[in-house]
Amino acid sequence: MLDQRSLRVSAGKAEEIWTTDSVPEPERGDYWRAALRHLYPGLTMAEPVDGEAVHGRLVVRSFADGRASECQHSAARLIGAGRDPAGDGWDGYNLTLQIYGVGRVSQAGRTFHRRFGEMTLTDAALPFEEVGLDDPHVQVWSLPRHILEPMLVAPDLSIGQGIGSRHGTGALLLSLLQTTWRECGGLARPMQHRIQDSICRLVALAFGPASAARASGRNGARPASLPEACAYIESRLQDPRLSVDEVAEWLHLSRRKLEMLFAETGIGVAGWIGRRRVEECRKMLADPAWRHLSITEVAFTWGFRDLSTFNRRFRARFDMAPREVRRGQPAAGQDLEPEMPQILTIGPFRPRTPPMRG
């Protein structure tokens, strides 16, 4: 039972909110699965990734003939059988915007790796799989089928696809979504319907055949880019189980093709993972705020399994031992992150804060 649900009116916005903040930990899994069914009524499974503790917050707003929602939660894998229109009388499509973290959505035999600012379109009546990592935060617009589908030139080619939002129609759509989310509570119903119609028209343009062909090229012939691979590695850097095979599986690539992506780095996938780990370790060792952690604890925090491997890789990267960095003790906040090639810019990741000792 969702006894922690709240219905509030804030700044003219009627919102239904579900949050795990006050739910006892043993009950959070069941509570959050039930909450997610308000966003994905056909949800059949919601499981944490690698046993991560469950937490989440879901905000749902009624908008015109559909809904607008924002969802933040721990890393998880969601599987749905599709929505039965006879269940609640609603039928349509879900437009999902990635606000933070990384996501992978699969539907109709297609897979799209969604990064910051990218959007995907899925059919709420069809089975789907969604995987979110690095504390994913998404905005989901539920758009009625009877409005959107007649506007789509090729509905079957549009679902399971994704678009960016930096240029063209995607940028216009992003701007409209952001403004509408802020203002929707103060809009009269007739105005909501007009804006919903405008959103659907932009979606139809953005996910038209030309966009679908470009997306197919990105996720088919070239399934992933180097920044996408780096983004996934960043989200899993502290997990000692992170492997080259895992990165390849996430991106739906063979190991050989993944290594080809990293050829321009000159160090390969495993080398890149090791480099990023020692770089984060160096920043922690140089920061007085982490002085209470031993060198071994710092190494283990960033995914190393043994100290000898860490010491060897650290010296190879920086030509000094880890204890020399700590002995030097640079001023707090000094930026020690080495300069990286522009091609490896991976987007707006938050600074990662390693867990403190209990």
Side-chain angles (χ1 to χ4, degrees):
M1 177 183 297
L2 296 182
D3 56 343
Q4 301 294 326
R5 185 185 71 174
S6 65
L7 176 62
R8 75 179 186 188
V9 177
S10 176
K13 304 182 184 73
E15 300 177 332
E16 288 186 290
I17 301 174
W18 292 264
T19 176
T20 60
D21 289 349
S22 58
V23 179
E25 190 168 348
E27 303 173 17
R28 285 185 181 180
D30 291 338
Y31 171 86
W32 187 239
R33 277 189 292 273
L36 285 174
R37 289 192 177 97
H38 289 263
L39 186 57
Y40 307 109
L43 188 72
T44 58
M45 185 177 77
E47 62 178 10
V49 173
D50 294 330
E52 184 171 330
V54 175
H55 62 83
R57 183 175 188 271
L58 172 64
V59 179
V60 178
R61 297 174 182 169
S62 176
F63 183 73
D65 292 328
R67 285 191 284 262
S69 310
E70 272 201 7
C71 185
Q72 300 170 267
H73 59 88
S74 50
R77 177 172 176 248
L78 311 178
I79 294 180
R83 177 183 227 143
D84 181 5
D88 63 0
W90 191 91
D91 184 28
Y93 293 84
N94 285 328
L95 174 68
T96 303
L97 165 66
Q98 194 79 31
I99 297 176
Y100 183 75
V102 292
R104 184 185 71 200
V105 60
S106 300
Q107 188 177 69
R110 305 183 187 96
T111 297
F112 188 89
H113 300 90
R114 202 173 50 226
R115 297 173 292 173
F116 168 79
E118 293 183 328
M119 291 171 269
T120 53
L121 185 67
T122 54
D123 189 330
L126 298 180
F128 72 93
E129 179 187 53
E130 175 105 19
V131 181
L133 296 177
D134 200 24
D135 293 327
H137 181 183
V138 297
Q139 192 175 95
V140 181
W141 293 79
S142 300
L143 304 172
R145 185 180 303 275
H146 72 275
I147 296 177
L148 178 58
E149 192 163 281
M151 299 179 184
L152 293 170
V153 176
D156 292 344
L157 295 179
S158 299
I159 60 173
Q161 302 285 12
I163 61 167
S165 60
R166 293 187 177 183
H167 308 287
T169 311
L172 293 173
L173 179 58
L174 174 64
S175 178
L176 180 56
L177 295 179
Q178 290 177 322
T179 303
T180 304
W181 176 261
R182 288 195 308 267
E183 305 296 334
C184 64
L187 298 173
R189 295 288 290 183
M191 182 58 69
Q192 289 186 14
H193 283 278
R194 290 185 181 181
I195 294 174
Q196 183 182 69
D197 184 77
S198 297
I199 291 174
C200 288
R201 291 182 184 278
L202 281 175
V203 168
L205 288 172
F207 287 87
S211 298
R214 287 194 297 271
S216 178
R218 175 184 146 190
N219 288 272
R222 187 171 67 83
S225 65
L226 181 57
E228 285 173 316
C230 290
Y232 180 77
I233 289 171
E234 289 295 309
S235 73
R236 304 277 289 141
L237 206 56
Q238 292 177 281
D239 191 336
R241 295 168 295 183
L242 177 64
S243 66
V244 177
D245 288 336
E246 178 187 327
V247 179
E249 181 181 358
W250 167 262
L251 295 170
H252 287 217
L253 290 174
S254 67
R255 181 165 179 153
R256 177 175 172 273
K257 289 185 177 179
L258 178 63
E259 292 290 357
M260 290 173 63
L261 278 182
F262 277 81
E264 60 193 270
T265 70
I267 56 176
V269 187
W272 180 259
I273 294 172
R275 171 183 288 188
R276 288 293 301 119
R277 282 174 168 162
V278 296
E279 287 169 353
E280 293 299 330
C281 287
R282 177 173 175 171
K283 286 192 286 187
M284 282 189 72
L285 291 171
D287 189 345
W290 298 101
R291 186 79 181 183
H292 63 284
L293 294 183
S294 69
I295 291 176
T296 300
E297 288 174 312
V298 170
F300 285 9
T301 292
W302 286 101
F304 286 98
R305 294 179 182 269
D306 65 86
L307 194 58
S308 61
T309 300
F310 166 66
N311 284 329
R312 184 175 67 255
R313 291 189 174 180
F314 193 96
R315 184 176 287 278
R317 178 75 177 109
F318 300 113
D319 197 28
M320 65 173 63
R323 65 177 180 275
E324 295 179 67
V325 176
R326 177 153 281 179
R327 189 183 301 131
Q329 200 65 72
Q334 180 174 338
D335 185 9
L336 290 174
E337 184 174 1
E339 185 176 348
M340 295 184 185
Q342 184 63 32
I343 186 67
L344 298 178
T345 299
I346 57 176
F349 283 91
R350 293 175 298 204
R352 300 182 64 84
T353 305
M356 303 286 287
R357 292 185 300 178

